[in-house]
Amino acid sequence: MTTAKDIMHPGAQWIPRHETLDRAAQMMRDLNVGALPIADEQERLCGIITDRDIVVGCVAMGHDPAKITCGEMAQGTPRWIDSGADVGAVLEEMQGHQIRRLPVIEDKRLIGMISEADLAQHLSDEQMQAFCASVYASS
């Protein structure tokens, strides 16, 4: 059985919720990623911040990214998957919530992220087509 841990991109990093959006943008640049999981003081997932969130939700609204925290931008219930979950559960979580990135958790710790690129490397063309159709259908 292929698991979330098998297909994830390892080495994902948290950003603390008290950090500002300009710091999140710098981390994204340095890590060459488009999203960062947001952690609370106990290193529990409390959201995800994307480069698009920073641009559309902060900069385009005329706000200063040096004054807005990641925690202030976090919206909704954060989604994640256990490292031992099979690929079917990964797809169900991502398709069911129309999300493009999914943190992978093991023993209550972030160990990686699953993105569309990770899925594309491990799914059949038909599975990938179904994923894209469901995730992008209403977005």
Side-chain angles (χ1 to χ4, degrees):
M1 167 181 81
T2 303
T3 66
K5 190 172 186 174
D6 296 328
I7 66 171
M8 72 177 193
H9 182 84
Q13 293 185 24
W14 300 106
I15 187 160
R17 70 177 171 190
H18 67 271
E19 286 285 358
T20 57
L21 297 181
D22 63 336
R23 179 66 186 124
Q26 293 162 3
M27 281 184 69
M28 287 180 200
R29 177 200 62 213
D30 294 345
L31 297 169
N32 195 29
V33 298
L36 292 170
I38 303 169
D40 67 12
E41 292 75 15
Q42 289 77 41
E43 290 192 353
R44 291 180 303 205
L45 182 67
C46 62
I48 293 181
I49 188 80
T50 67
D51 48 7
R52 187 177 194 282
D53 293 333
I54 295 169
V55 172
V56 174
C58 178
V59 176
M61 300 299 287
H63 302 294
D64 182 352
K67 294 182 180 174
I68 306 290
T69 67
C70 293
E72 291 173 294
M73 289 294 292
Q75 298 176 8
T77 303
R79 309 306 309 178
W80 57 274
I81 195 88
D82 184 78
S83 64
D86 69 24
V87 174
V90 170
L91 288 172
E92 186 176 312
E93 186 69 21
M94 293 177 81
Q95 289 173 311
H97 297 282
Q98 293 187 308
I99 55 177
R100 297 173 183 94
R101 298 171 183 97
L102 187 63
V104 179
I105 306 293
E106 184 174 84
D107 298 324
K108 298 182 181 180
R109 296 280 185 222
L110 175 72
I111 64 165
M113 290 279 281
I114 297 173
S115 69
E116 295 164 298
D118 299 313
L119 292 177
Q121 292 177 356
H122 293 89
L123 299 180
S124 69
D125 289 345
E126 293 78 22
Q127 287 173 307
M128 204 54 208
Q129 184 178 19
F131 170 80
C132 290
S134 66
V135 170
Y136 291 103
S138 300
S139 42

